[in-house]
Amino acid sequence: MRLILLMVLAALLSGCGYNQIQQKDEAVNAGWSEVLSQYKRRADLVPNLVNTVKGYASHEQQVLTQVTEARAKVGQINVNADDVASLAQFQAAQGELSSALSRLMAVVESYPNLKADQAFLNLQTQLEGTENRITVARGRYIQLVQDYNTYIRSFPQNLVAMMFGYKTRPNFTVENEAQIQDAPTVDFGSSAPEAPPQPAPAG
C-alpha cells in the first residue's frame, strides 16, 4: 500500500512539473558556471596584458594601475548568484574591469610598436575571443533564468515550487546589464594616430 502511495505521489509530482523544475534549475546552475568560467578567463589574461603594455608604455601608470586594481576587485568578490545584492556587486566589478580595459586599449593606439608585438597580438586575439564568449554565456544565462523563473511561477508548477522551497532566481538587472554589455574595444586594425604638426623653427 505504501509503495502504491509513493508511486501515485511520484506520478503527481512529475505531472505537476517537479522533474522539469529540477532540469531547469540544473540548466541555470550550468549556465552560471559558464559565465564565471569566461569571466575568470578574462581576468587571467589581464596580468600578461598589463605587463606587455608596460614594456612599451611604462609611463601610462594611471591606466595600468586602474586595470590592475579593477582586476583585483573582481578577484575579491565571492559572488552568490542567488543573492540580488551579491550579483549586483559582481556585475558592478565586472563593469569596472571592462571600462578599465577599454581605457587601456585606447592608450595602446598611440604605440604602433606595441600593436605590432607578437605577444600582444596573441593576447589581443585571446581577449577578443573571451569577450565574445562572455557575451554568449551571459546571454544564455539570462534566457535560462527567465525560462526557469517563468516556469516555477506558472500554475500548477508554482505549487510544487512552493512545496519544495524553489524560488525565482535573480538575473542581470537592466542597469548593470547596460554597464557591462559593451565589451572593450580590441580592434587594432586602424593605423596609429598621426603625430601633431611641429611648429616651424624661428628664424
Side-chain angles (χ1 to χ4, degrees):
M1 185 66 178
R2 186 175 181 181
L3 179 60
I4 295 176
L5 288 175
L6 290 175
M7 292 176 64
V8 171
L9 179 60
L12 289 173
L13 288 175
S14 178
C16 290
Y18 178 82
N19 289 340
Q20 288 81 359
I21 291 176
Q22 310 308 308
Q23 294 169 2
K24 292 177 185 296
D25 184 58
E26 287 301 319
V28 171
N29 291 337
W32 178 246
S33 295
E34 182 63 17
V35 169
L36 289 180
S37 175
Q38 298 307 330
Y39 274 125
K40 184 180 184 303
R41 179 184 176 91
R42 179 174 71 171
D44 289 344
L45 289 172
V46 170
N48 287 338
L49 184 64
V50 169
N51 288 333
T52 302
V53 173
K54 189 183 297 182
Y56 290 86
S58 58
H59 59 284
E60 303 284 358
Q61 193 58 48
Q62 181 179 359
V63 177
L64 294 169
T65 299
Q66 288 173 347
V67 174
T68 301
E69 290 178 348
R71 192 261 188 188
K73 187 174 181 180
V74 165
Q76 292 168 358
I77 295 177
N78 294 318
V79 61
N80 176 7
D82 291 329
D83 179 72
V84 175
S86 177
L87 183 59
Q89 184 184 26
F90 171 79
Q91 292 174 90
Q94 294 294 347
E96 290 179 15
L97 181 54
S98 293
S99 296
L101 284 170
S102 293
R103 291 191 292 271
L104 180 65
M105 295 310 170
V107 166
V108 166
E109 287 296 325
S110 300
Y111 298 89
N113 290 339
L114 170 59
K115 291 165 62 177
D117 182 273
Q118 188 59 49
F120 181 77
L121 292 175
N122 290 338
L123 288 169
Q124 168 204 339
T125 300
Q126 293 181 58
L127 180 60
E128 185 177 29
T130 299
E131 293 295 348
N132 291 336
R133 283 189 286 270
I134 286 174
T135 300
V136 171
R138 192 173 60 225
R140 181 170 182 270
Y141 179 74
I142 290 171
Q143 293 176 349
L144 289 170
V145 172
Q146 182 180 25
D147 178 60
Y148 169 82
N149 287 345
T150 301
Y151 189 79
I152 69 167
R153 291 175 61 188
S154 302
F155 183 83
Q157 300 90 252
N158 61 330
L159 301 178
V160 178
M162 284 189 292
M163 184 185 306
F164 290 93
Y166 287 96
K167 300 178 180 179
T168 57
R169 301 178 68 160
N171 210 339
F172 290 121
T173 63
V174 174
E175 178 183 357
N176 288 318
E177 177 65 10
Q179 183 183 31
I180 63 177
Q181 184 64 44
D182 295 328
T185 302
V186 291
D187 180 10
F188 303 108
S190 58
S191 59
E194 296 180 2
Q198 299 298 319

